[in-house]
């Protein structure tokens, strides 16, 4: 399948990469508009780095075509392979990869020096970029004397100093502690946005992906599971894998018994001899009579003490932890334990009987 994105700046078509007999990337296609920030998200070994390295040209590929603007980077079928140094790409890795024996300014100037740019131009550009990444006061320090966060800023400065046509990040924040990581997410995004450079960002950290990306591609086993904006990926996961990988979800097996309007239907849950019908949204491609998985985020399960027309299940609170802004609850229903985020006003306590209700807009039937 080829998914040509309208006005795509980077276009990857049917990319295949083997290591020995193992397919690390299995026929993936995506396009990115100019200036966008796209994240490849997925667990260890799903092929994120391999995809990135294929774009960078740091290895050959076994099938497909990669193009940026009007330049074909790689196309084995056409016998095309542009060497990495001619691709004009900036890269930032997990290991800082800056040269320890050079100062910050020398590190950042290096890509311009090998282009034989004039010294005065180099000086101007280096100070401009160091200002952008917030390293003006560290200009003359040896790179090794910087903190982890500062070293990553220096790597970023070096990656963008020559105005490359593409910026690739491979887990650039994973060596930093949590607080710094959270701060740097916002910083990296700000800088990318300010420079207006097209970026591909690789991470296995879903929070990072949700915060930073214009669009996210969720991968598993060398394939694309879903592509969409952060809100779409979170609130409309198309299958059990994505529901589970991003955030927390209650996932229950059952069947779609009715399709009403396109995209809406009724899901039937069967538990311990009881059957419950729930109006729901349907993932693309699900039809009536099919096995599916019900996916409901804990914040979309409503727990109340009194039964009424809107409640569909009766359960028992097995624990309830007050966390200030919300209460984290578990509600046992047959042999399934619902994860429920309740409002502190409900004052639910362990051992109590509760009734659960569901909003059809946030109750999804997804592919298994
Ligand atoms: N140079 C290599 N030689 C052999 N196999 C490789 C090589 N590089 C990657 N692989 C294999 O290809 C698959 C995809 O690896 P890749 O590095 O792309 O995963 P990843 O998504 O980046 O994972 P991580 O989050 O751990 O970095 C894995 O099964 C990996 O073992
Ligand atoms: Mg990797």
């Amino acid at each position: 399948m080829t998914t040509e994105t309208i006005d795509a700046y980077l276009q990857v078509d049917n990319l295949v990469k083997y290591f020995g007999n193992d397919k690390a990337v299995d026929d993936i296609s995506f396009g990115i508009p100019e200036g966008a920030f796209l994240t490849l998200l997925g667990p260890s070994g799903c092929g994120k780095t391999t995809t990135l390295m294929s774009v960078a040209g740091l290895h050959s590929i076994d099938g497909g075509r990669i193009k940026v603007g009007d330049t074909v980077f790689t196309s084995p079928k056409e016998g095309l392979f542009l060497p990495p140094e001619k691709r004009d790409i900036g890269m930032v890795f997990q290991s800082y990869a800056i040269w320890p024996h050079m100062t910050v300014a020398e590190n950042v100037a290096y890509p311009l020096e090998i282009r034989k740019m004039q010294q005065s131009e180099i000086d101007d550009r280096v100070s401009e970029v160091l200002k952008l990444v917030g390293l003006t006061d560290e200009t003359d320090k040896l790179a090794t004397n910087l903190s982890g966060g500062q070293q990553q800023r220096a790597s970023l400065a070096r990656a963008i100093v020559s105005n490359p046509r593409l910026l690739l990040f491979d887990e650039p924040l994973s060596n930093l502690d949590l607080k710094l990581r959270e701060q740097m997410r916002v910083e990296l995004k700000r800088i990318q946005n300010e420079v207006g450079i097209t970026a591909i960002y690789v991470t296995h950290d879903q929070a990072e992906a949700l915060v930073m990306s214009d669009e996210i591609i969720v991968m598993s086993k060398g394939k694309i599971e879903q592509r969409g904006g952060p809100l779409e990926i979170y609130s409309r996961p198309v299958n059990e894998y994505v529901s589970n990988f991003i955030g927390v979800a209650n996932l229950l097996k059952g069947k779609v018994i009715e399709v009403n309007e396109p995209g809406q239907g009724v899901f039937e849950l069967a538990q311990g001899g009881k059957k419950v019908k729930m109006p729901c949204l349907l993932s693309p491609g699900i039809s009536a009579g099919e096995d599916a998985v019900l996916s409901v985020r804990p914040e979309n399960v409503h727990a109340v003490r009194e039964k009424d027309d809107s409640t569909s299940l009766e359960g028992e609170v097995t624990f309830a932890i007050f966390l200030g802004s919300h209460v984290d609850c578990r509600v046992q229903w047959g042999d399934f334990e619902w994860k429920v985020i309740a409002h502190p006003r409900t004052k639910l306590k362990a051992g109590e009987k509760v009734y659960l209700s569901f909003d059809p807009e946030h109750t999804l039937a997804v592919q298994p």
Side-chain angles (χ1 to χ4, degrees), residues 48-49 170-171 202:
K48 306 179 296 291
T49 297
D170 196 348
E171 314 242 8
V202 159

Side-chain angles (χ1 to χ4, degrees), residues 19 24 43-50 171 204:
F19 289 110
S44 186
C46 73
K48 306 179 296 291
T49 297
T50 307
E171 314 242 8
H204 60 266

Side-chain angles (χ1 to χ4, degrees), residues 138 260 279:
E138 280 72 26
N260 309 323

